[in-house]
Amino acid sequence: MDKFLVRGGKPLHGKIEIGGAKNSALPCLAATLLTSETVILHNVPYVKDLITQRRLLEDLGATALTPELRTHKVTARHIERFEAPYELVKTMRASVLALGPLLARFGQAKVSLPGGCAIGTRPIDLHLKAFEELGATVSLEAGNVVARAPEGGLVGAEVDFEKVTVTGTENVMMAASLARGKTIVRNAACEPEIEDLADLLNKMGARIRGAGTPTIEIAGVEHLGSAEHTIIPDRIETGTFIVAAAITGGEIEIKNCRPDHLSAVIEKLREAGVVIEELNPSTLHVKVASDGLAAADVTTEPHPLFPTDMQAQYMALMTQARGTSVIKETIFENRFMHASELIRMGAKIDISGNTATVHGRTRLSGAPVLASDLRASASLVLAGLAADGETMIDRVYHIDRGYESIVPKLRSVGADIQRITEAAA
Ligand code: UD1
């Protein structure tokens, strides 16, 4: 298993370019299953999860070409199977995004039920309930979710999510695009990735209004066709690099980003003493205020509030802030795995239920640590950049799922970080 070796204490300086959003590219790739025509997606980040999603499409019978590194040209004309096998689902929950498109276009879908994951149980009951509301019958057979559309296909309906779910909203939006009649989704997720998917679907011929707000209206169409679309920049990668600059006391320019997609993060980081200047609508300049970082409490909430996917990185930052900060995680029940590793590096953090209290500022010192999930890995890299001495981060396959070229990108702004490959480790 690859590891990262980080030698901390070097302020970052320079320019970083942000890649495409993993969480947008995943549903957009799944959406290619909705048509027999070719869909071209640009700015797809080169990360493990996207390679897995593409393997799933190919496994189903789609052809996928890569005319350029970050461009995928997918034609799902001859789909031979309607099934996402356990081998793929267990490595990436987002394979459940195949359910909606397969069910809508072919009237059937079978997806292995995702098990628990490091950050909680993460059920998909709300996705399934929404499909049932569109007329599907759903059953559990040998660990697989088997969904079948009624004779004549899915039928538009009112779907009122009892809890905000990002991939659930995406799944129902894709399914309802090919349903007969109109679907209204209430309490829909408002993440920018939802809007991006709706943009792609509308280019393919769907009739979706209101994506990005809690109420989405989808007028079903008979047929979806070819489209070309560029994935939005990754707001979590952007936030992670803002924290990287701040935690090292550096100064960097972040290019190709969408600051308007992470307003709550920027606002919170400003409150904590990070000076973030918008040079233009796609470029940020980041440095720390002359009086340093100060503790600021945060609670994770669905978009447009502070995202759970930035909680771990924010916790690493708070170890370097003056004062005590309270971090509440309301989205996932077990998302503080990074805290125990940060404590091993010298952080003072108390955990009680879904609340972490971080007592800053503590001097961090390098230690061998274990990455437990994607964003937890990022927080350990950030802590390592701020720590004295060497931090060896194990199980970095988690970070490879969602951060493209994080080592070269950090090195390009002066970080001392290297990948130790399995053979050499
Ligand atoms: C997506 C993101 C993930 C992010 C999360 C929350 C992708 C590929 N992943 O995950 O990075 O951390 O949103 O912003 O976009 N829930 C249920 N039943 C369901 C569905 C969800 O109880 O059927 C619960 C979950 O357990 C969780 C909460 O709802 O507590 C939100 O989950 P959800 O928004 O669905 O997360 P994902 O879409 O899996």
Side-chain angles (χ1 to χ4, degrees):
M1 260 179 271
D2 287 7
K3 300 176 184 182
F4 287 173
L5 174 63
V6 188
R7 293 190 186 89
K10 298 190 175 52
L12 304 188
H13 285 283
K15 293 179 184 173
I16 291 266
E17 296 221 351
I18 297 303
K22 168 185 86 80
N23 285 355
S24 184
L26 283 167
C28 287
L29 269 181
T32 64
L33 290 170
L34 285 163
T35 175
S36 61
E37 295 176 27
T38 301
V39 176
I40 302 175
L41 297 174
H42 301 291
N43 204 30
V44 175
Y46 187 67
V47 295
K48 189 79 192 354
D49 270 8
L50 270 312
I51 296 167
T52 309
Q53 190 76 326
R54 190 179 142 137
R55 251 186 60 208
L56 169 61
L57 298 177
E58 288 173 327
D59 202 62
L60 296 170
T63 54
L65 302 173
T66 313
E68 287 166 44
L69 182 60
R70 292 175 189 81
T71 295
H72 295 243
K73 194 172 172 187
V74 184
T75 312
R77 185 165 302 131
H78 304 293
I79 294 302
E80 294 139 11
R81 316 170 55 203
F82 311 103
E83 180 179 355
Y86 182 60
E87 291 67 51
L88 290 179
V89 180
K90 77 176 180 203
T91 59
M92 191 191 62
R93 293 187 79 260
S95 8
V96 301
L97 286 164
L99 262 176
L102 289 176
L103 183 60
R105 182 164 155 219
F106 303 102
Q108 54 174 309
K110 184 168 156 185
V111 171
S112 180
L113 192 65
C117 71
I119 61 175
T121 47
R122 295 180 85 175
I124 57 162
D125 55 316
L126 302 174
H127 301 225
L128 304 183
K129 194 161 165 257
F131 293 141
E132 284 175 338
E133 272 151 1
L134 297 179
T137 50
V138 178
S139 56
L140 187 66
E141 295 170 17
N144 297 301
V145 170
V146 180
R148 287 189 185 83
E151 194 82 13
L154 297 174
V155 188
E158 302 223 348
V159 174
D160 199 341
F161 279 116
E162 67 195 50
K163 193 170 181 184
V164 175
T165 160
V166 175
T167 46
T169 302
E170 291 163 351
N171 240 337
V172 76
M173 223 163 63
M174 291 190 280
S177 290
L178 282 182
R180 279 177 289 140
K182 186 169 164 182
T183 297
I184 300 180
V185 185
R186 296 210 169 81
N187 200 24
C190 302
E191 270 69 1
E193 292 76 20
I194 306 276
E195 263 185 277
D196 202 32
L197 173 65
D199 276 354
L200 167 66
L201 293 170
N202 284 338
K203 285 179 192 167
M204 292 166 69
R207 291 168 55 207
I208 302 173
R209 285 195 337 202
T213 76
T215 305
I216 304 178
E217 284 185 26
I218 305 142
V221 297
E222 271 185 24
H223 164 87
L224 293 171
S226 62
E228 191 162 350
H229 182 72
T230 300
I231 302 294
I232 54 169
D234 197 306
R235 64 197 162 96
I236 306 300
E237 188 191 17
T238 308
T240 303
F241 281 119
I242 299 179
V243 173
I247 206 167
T248 61
E251 188 169 349
I252 66 171
E253 203 171 291
I254 302 178
K255 299 168 83 73
N256 290 349
C257 61
R258 282 282 302 262
D260 57 320
H261 286 169
L262 67 157
S263 306
V265 172
I266 290 177
E267 201 178 305
K268 185 52 66 181
L269 292 173
R270 282 182 175 146
E271 190 186 328
V274 187
V275 181
I276 304 171
E277 213 187 321
E278 206 173 309
L279 299 183
N280 60 50
S282 64
T283 310
L284 290 172
H285 182 268
V286 184
K287 65 177 185 187
V288 173
S290 51
D291 53 349
L293 295 164
D297 299 345
V298 86
T299 299
T300 63
E301 306 264 14
H303 195 78
L305 299 175
F306 195 93
T308 175
D309 285 351
M310 275 301 297
Q311 178 260 107
Q313 303 89 316
Y314 187 76
M315 190 183 291
L317 185 71
M318 284 300 99
T319 68
Q320 300 307 295
R322 281 185 324 273
T324 297
S325 51
V326 177
I327 300 175
K328 273 204 184 110
E329 171 59 57
T330 73
I331 308 293
F332 293 111
E333 75 267 28
N334 187 23
R335 209 176 192 178
F336 284 148
M337 311 270 278
H338 42 283
S340 49
E341 301 302 295
L342 294 172
I343 290 169
R344 297 187 60 249
M345 296 176 72
K348 289 199 173 63
I349 304 169
D350 300 319
I351 303 284
S352 170
N354 72 343
T355 304
T357 306
V358 185
H359 307 278
R361 170 177 191 240
T362 45
R363 222 186 157 87
L364 298 180
S365 43
V369 287
L370 214 55
S372 55
D373 66 70
L374 173 59
R375 306 304 170 185
S377 329
S379 83
L380 298 179
V381 169
L382 294 167
L385 292 173
D388 296 330
E390 289 188 353
T391 299
M392 182 71 94
I393 306 168
D394 202 351
R395 300 201 184 159
V396 295
Y397 57 82
H398 288 294
I399 211 162
D400 293 334
R401 284 188 36 220
Y403 285 90
E404 182 175 341
S405 311
I406 189 160
V407 169
K409 279 188 182 183
L410 284 170
R411 287 175 70 89
S412 75
V413 287
D416 188 343
I417 177 170
Q418 68 188 95
R419 179 184 286 266
I420 314 280
T421 55
E422 197 168 25

